[in-house]
Amino acid sequence: MADNKDKLFDMFSPVTTEEWKAKITADLKGADYDRKLVWRTNEGFNVQPFYRREDLAGLPALDTMPGEFPFLRGTRDNNDWLVRQAVLGDTAAEMNDHALHILNRGVESLGIKMGRNIAPEELATVLKGIDLKKVEINITCCPGRAVEIAAELVKLIKEAGAETEFRGSVAYDPFKRLIKRGLPFPKDATAEGKALYETVKDIKNLRCFAVDSFMLNNAGAYITQELGYALAWGAEWLSMMTDAGLSVDEVACRIKFNMGISSNYFMELAKFRAARMLWAEIVKAYNPECECACKMFVHAVTSEFNQTIYDSHVNLLRSMTETMSAALAGVNSIETLPFDKCYKKPDEFSERIARNQQFLLRDESHLNKVVDPAGGSYYIETLTASIAKQAWKVFNEVEDNGGFEAMLRKGEIQGKVNESGVKRHLDVARRKESLLGTNQYPNFNEMALDKIQNEGCGCGCGCGTEEPVDGAVEALNFDRAASQFEQLRLDTERAANRPKVFMLTIGNLAMRLARAQFSANFFGCAGYEIIDNIGFDTVKQGIDAAMEKGADVVVLCSSDDEYAALAPEAFKELDGRAMFVVAGAPACMDELKAAGIENFIHVKVNVLDTLVDFNAKLLK
């Protein structure tokens, strides 16, 4: 077999990178190679259309194995991850019922939010009947309650004799108020953090210092931003707690990174690989006694930023690719959010589907059977190095400006993430960033008003109702990418009459069909009723048909060459009885504007702003 293989390769002469590029350039037939094929990412680097072995030259840690420093290829010699799901309920008893319910359906890790309505001593009720030797328990709570809740959890662990087997966390995050609400940083955070460590130190695998960078992800941060700030966040914990007298080993082994996952499939996979490598180097700089302190412990949660209310089952496609990215990247646990979380309390069906997404990847696709399957891939290894380089720049910028806490106190990190969020919303508005079912290929006839339920911040602590206070700084904006388009469609739903958009298709067959499809997709994003047609022989036939249908908007769909004659005729025939739109940006646009035609839709317009203007005129 080996001899035959060698003979096969001998039949083909080696091809250089220059020869590959020359062939590609020839196939482009004059189109610019860089403009056509090089991806200019929002992460601060370009992605080439192909990579070769030579691109790996000089990249770090490629010769290491999984479980070896700097843990580029993983922190362990297996790829088993825990399936986590959130525990829901308004009382301790309800939470216990729900926890047992999802555990019986395959969940191995519980996310428990201890709101102020649940007293610390009620934790025993929440965990009743749960084997603390087998189930990972992760508790989030407001700063000020962490020590008390941790003490209760430690007591329950010791009563169960699970000191060595227990896995879990009590997430202490004093930075959350600054990030989410812009509210002042707690003055006693360091003291509380040290007290928390003293409370949990007897339980080896109970982590307590949280890096909740998923919040940055949910506010629209770019991948390198989330990673760079997460590293700075972790470094802040190291600095803060070692200054308080703890060793670097004691601190690093208690930090848990709770990171988001966007739908940028390969980049997210590369992000987690880069994260482990960079974090290992940061901890190593503190000279830990054990190299195991350099291991990054990561929980990953699918993004809320790209979830949509309309066509919400598409959220399943997004969360599936996100879950797969994290699984292949070798994280410790994953929470796949239910597809309906953005507009209602998840129900039995959406929770079951969310669990099954992970079971499908793990138990049917066997993604847990291979450690670091991306290792050695020219593309993924190069992406990993590129993301690491840009994230390291973000990290150093934070360190040069006084550290994570200092920049948070001034609102600078929040401001930079919000800038990214604004840019991403603009890209969604211009359809440079696609949200299937929202700004591309919407379901024209879907209604959503009846399925939306009121929701608060979700943490049960009342933090969403706090009044503004002195010293507050800019907080993160958690508007989802689809929120403005959704508001547009909800306004349409609330209107007394749903606007009708009539496609006046005429002339060149291919162009009229293509432009009618584009226009239907365009106006469907506002939830308008679309009236399509196969074509008309004359402009008058089309206008008469539009008026018969009660059209509010008439869109002329034809070719650029025919617009010079057809558009003025149609505009005159319509005579102001409905709004008139030309689909495209023909060379004769200036002449048509001079004739009184104002509305043109094409790929370069801001879809959102254009539809907002139409709503203002039509929804009266």
Side-chain angles (χ1 to χ4, degrees):
M1 179 65 73
D3 290 341
N4 290 335
K5 180 180 177 183
D6 292 339
K7 290 178 181 179
L8 176 65
F9 281 109
D10 287 342
M11 296 171 63
F12 299 92
S13 59
V15 181
T16 66
T17 299
E18 289 70 25
E19 288 175 310
W20 272 114
K21 192 167 183 179
K23 174 58 177 173
I24 294 170
T25 302
D27 289 346
L28 287 173
K29 298 178 180 180
D32 185 87
Y33 177 93
D34 288 336
R35 293 190 62 184
K36 198 74 173 178
L37 296 180
V38 176
W39 174 20
R40 290 161 181 78
T41 73
N42 290 312
E43 313 302 333
F45 59 89
N46 294 338
V47 174
Q48 300 298 318
F50 70 99
Y51 290 93
R52 308 190 74 207
R53 180 180 296 176
E54 63 201 54
D55 293 299
L56 301 185
L59 297 186
L62 292 185
D63 58 346
T64 62
M65 297 294 288
E68 293 180 359
F69 184 91
F71 310 110
L72 169 71
R73 305 198 60 200
T75 58
R76 53 200 192 278
D77 60 2
N78 64 71
N79 195 34
D80 288 327
W81 73 88
L82 297 178
V83 177
R84 185 193 293 190
Q85 198 154 39
V87 174
L88 306 179
D90 295 325
T91 67
E94 289 178 1
M95 293 174 72
N96 178 252
D97 287 342
H98 186 250
L100 294 174
H101 176 78
I102 60 180
L103 287 173
N104 287 332
R105 283 152 181 78
V107 168
E108 302 147 318
S109 174
L110 298 177
I112 301 171
K113 293 181 178 179
M114 293 285 287
R116 295 196 182 278
N117 59 311
I118 307 294
E121 57 269 21
E122 291 184 279
L123 184 59
T125 302
V126 175
L127 300 179
K128 184 178 180 181
I130 296 173
D131 190 344
L132 299 184
K133 296 181 180 180
K134 296 180 179 180
V135 180
E136 184 185 65
I137 305 297
N138 302 280
I139 299 174
T140 58
C141 57
C142 297
R145 306 184 74 212
V147 175
E148 194 176 2
I149 290 172
E152 188 67 24
L153 177 60
V154 168
K155 184 183 79 171
L156 295 173
I157 293 170
K158 290 182 176 180
E159 288 175 355
E163 293 95 324
T164 57
E165 296 93 342
F166 180 83
R167 296 169 296 175
S169 61
V170 174
Y172 177 54
D173 184 2
F175 304 98
K176 184 185 295 186
R177 284 165 55 90
L178 267 169
I179 293 172
K180 292 187 69 174
R181 308 295 170 192
L183 299 175
F185 188 79
K187 296 179 181 179
D188 57 351
T190 301
E192 187 174 3
K194 189 171 183 181
L196 180 59
Y197 172 79
E198 294 295 333
T199 302
V200 305
K201 67 180 182 180
D202 290 340
I203 312 299
K204 180 181 178 181
N205 294 315
L206 177 50
R207 294 179 179 256
C208 56
F209 302 131
V211 174
D212 292 327
S213 66
F214 69 90
M215 291 190 289
L216 310 181
N217 177 287
N218 288 338
Y222 292 121
I223 288 172
T224 49
Q225 269 187 318
E226 183 195 359
L227 177 52
Y229 290 138
L231 295 171
W233 196 333
E236 189 70 39
W237 275 123
L238 291 177
S239 176
M240 192 165 76
M241 300 316 300
T242 53
D243 287 348
L246 300 182
S247 72
V248 63
D249 297 76
E250 290 172 328
V251 181
C253 292
R254 301 290 176 169
I255 295 176
K256 187 167 191 175
F257 287 81
N258 301 300
M259 304 182 74
I261 328 165
S262 75
S263 294
N264 199 328
Y265 179 75
F266 289 111
M267 280 204 184
E268 284 292 348
L269 198 166
K271 177 188 78 176
F272 290 110
R273 300 176 83 245
R276 288 193 296 265
M277 179 175 64
L278 295 178
W279 178 245
E281 296 292 352
I282 290 171
V283 178
K284 188 72 171 179
Y286 281 78
N287 298 315
E289 292 182 6
C290 177
E291 204 170 70
C292 60
C294 300
K295 293 183 178 182
M296 189 183 214
F297 197 95
V298 182
H299 168 66
V301 56
T302 57
S303 181
E304 294 184 53
F305 182 76
N306 59 16
Q307 283 203 337
T308 62
I309 294 174
Y310 288 93
D311 215 346
S312 59
H313 288 92
V314 180
N315 293 332
L316 292 168
L317 302 180
R318 301 183 184 106
S319 61
M320 192 65 173
T321 63
E322 292 165 4
T323 302
M324 190 173 178
S325 293
L328 292 175
V331 301
N332 299 91
S333 60
I334 305 173
E335 181 180 4
T336 303
L337 297 179
F339 72 88
D340 55 358
K341 185 179 187 296
C342 64
Y343 59 87
K344 63 186 288 290
K345 180 180 178 180
D347 56 25
E348 170 62 24
F349 174 75
S350 63
E351 284 191 335
R352 177 169 63 87
I353 294 297
R355 292 191 297 269
N356 287 351
Q357 286 178 268
Q358 291 198 53
F359 298 151
L360 188 153
L361 293 175
R362 191 186 64 181
D363 303 331
E364 296 186 35
S365 301
H366 306 298
L367 297 192
N368 64 328
K369 300 301 182 185
V370 180
V371 183
D372 192 29
S377 161
Y378 304 153
Y379 179 46
I380 301 299
E381 295 290 7
T382 307
L383 273 187
T384 301
S386 297
I387 288 173
K389 181 179 179 180
Q390 294 302 317
W392 194 248
K393 288 181 180 178
V394 175
F395 170 77
N396 282 323
E397 180 187 0
V398 176
E399 294 303 296
D400 292 342
N401 285 276
F404 186 73
E405 179 189 337
M407 288 191 71
L408 280 183
R409 285 181 182 274
K410 292 183 285 188
E412 292 179 355
I413 290 176
Q414 300 93 314
K416 289 180 182 294
V417 172
N418 285 341
E419 285 178 12
S420 299
V422 169
K423 172 64 165 56
R424 291 188 67 184
H425 276 92
L426 180 61
D427 286 347
V428 169
R430 294 180 177 276
R431 297 207 283 204
K432 291 176 66 176
E433 184 171 336
S434 295
L435 285 174
L436 190 65
T438 297
N439 70 346
Q440 289 281 18
Y441 309 112
N443 179 349
F444 310 143
N445 298 314
E446 181 183 5
M447 301 295 168
L449 268 176
D450 291 341
K451 71 179 185 180
I452 298 175
Q453 300 176 2
N454 293 329
E455 60 176 10
C457 73
C459 71
C461 65
C463 62
T465 61
E466 295 184 69
E467 296 294 328
V469 297
D470 292 338
V473 296
E474 182 175 1
L476 289 185
N477 182 351
F478 291 103
D479 288 345
R480 289 174 294 103
S483 59
Q484 292 168 304
F485 274 98
E486 290 168 352
Q487 186 59 55
L488 189 75
R489 288 196 66 168
L490 292 172
D491 289 343
T492 300
E493 283 193 45
R494 294 186 184 99
N497 297 300
R498 183 185 177 199
K500 297 180 179 180
V501 179
F502 186 92
M503 302 300 156
L504 201 171
T505 50
I506 191 170
N508 182 286
L509 180 61
M511 289 305 301
R512 77 191 190 197
L513 292 178
R515 283 181 161 155
Q517 185 180 37
F518 171 83
S519 302
N521 186 26
F522 190 101
F523 285 101
C525 293
Y528 296 168
E529 181 181 344
I530 307 299
I531 305 172
D532 203 355
N533 301 281
I534 59 173
F536 298 95
D537 295 327
T538 67
V539 166
K540 187 176 188 310
Q541 286 180 354
I543 297 297
D544 288 345
M547 293 301 95
E548 183 179 342
K549 293 289 188 180
D552 299 288
V553 179
V554 175
V555 184
L556 181 64
C557 302
S558 189
S559 66
D560 286 2
D561 293 340
E562 294 169 294
Y563 278 144
L566 292 176
E569 181 184 355
F571 183 65
K572 182 177 180 181
E573 184 69 32
L574 188 59
D575 194 26
R577 289 177 288 174
M579 294 185 69
F580 183 68
V581 178
V582 173
C588 62
M589 184 185 294
D590 290 339
E591 290 81 1
L592 297 181
K593 287 182 177 180
I597 299 173
E598 299 177 350
N599 301 304
F600 298 82
I601 59 171
H602 48 85
V603 293
K604 292 185 179 181
V605 304
N606 184 309
V607 180
L608 179 66
D609 287 351
T610 302
L611 292 176
V612 167
D613 288 342
F614 272 94
N615 260 13
K617 297 170 183 176
L618 294 170
L619 305 184
K620 296 181 179 178

